[in-house]
Amino acid sequence: MADAVRPVIWMGSSLRDLRAMPEAVRRDIGQALYTAQHGDTDPAAKPLKGFGGTRVMEIVERDPSGAYRAVYTVEFADAVYVLHVFQKKSKRGIATPKQDIDLIRRRLAEVERHHRQA
């Protein structure tokens, strides 16, 4: 386990989107992010396909009201960056919708630009 706890940095509307979710979902996603802050991977987190290994992780939560996702990266040692939090609407297929993937890519690029300039 890492000595220092990394802060969580919320990109875009991700914190507001998480706060709009059911309490149990918020709690479970929060626990998974807390685990990431300590340098570990929660059982609810898995690599998001299309981003190269464990570079971008997806927390998958289910609730009677639906399926929820939180996407984050720990690629940078200074923080856990939450890129996107959303409710998965599609009842067919397991793929993350293209508009969500595009938003995740834009926010990841924003984090990368920030780190290049720092």
Side-chain angles (χ1 to χ4, degrees):
M1 224 180 198
D3 293 335
V5 176
R6 296 189 228 189
V8 173
I9 297 177
W10 302 89
M11 301 301 294
S13 64
S14 55
L15 180 57
R16 183 177 61 241
D17 297 337
L18 179 64
R19 287 180 174 156
M21 293 182 175
E23 182 180 348
V25 172
R26 291 193 317 260
R27 182 184 61 241
D28 292 344
I29 289 175
Q31 179 59 50
L33 290 172
Y34 180 77
T35 300
Q37 286 181 275
H38 288 272
D40 294 323
T41 303
D42 191 88
K46 62 180 181 151
L48 182 60
K49 289 182 179 155
F51 286 89
T54 58
R55 184 171 172 227
V56 175
M57 301 295 288
E58 176 180 42
I59 301 166
V60 178
E61 288 299 329
R62 288 177 181 76
D63 181 78
S65 63
Y68 298 88
R69 305 288 186 264
V71 178
Y72 69 93
T73 185
V74 291
E75 183 175 4
F76 306 99
D78 64 324
V80 174
Y81 290 88
V82 181
L83 303 172
H84 189 34
V85 178
F86 62 102
Q87 181 176 7
K88 188 168 179 294
K89 304 278 188 189
S90 174
K91 300 295 182 203
R92 285 194 340 242
I94 59 171
T96 302
K98 181 181 181 332
Q99 71 221 30
D100 291 305
I101 292 293
D102 291 344
L103 179 60
I104 291 163
R105 287 192 192 286
R106 283 194 307 272
R107 289 182 178 169
L108 181 60
E110 185 180 330
V111 171
E112 290 169 340
R113 273 193 306 277
H114 170 76
H115 276 272
R116 277 196 305 270
Q117 294 170 356

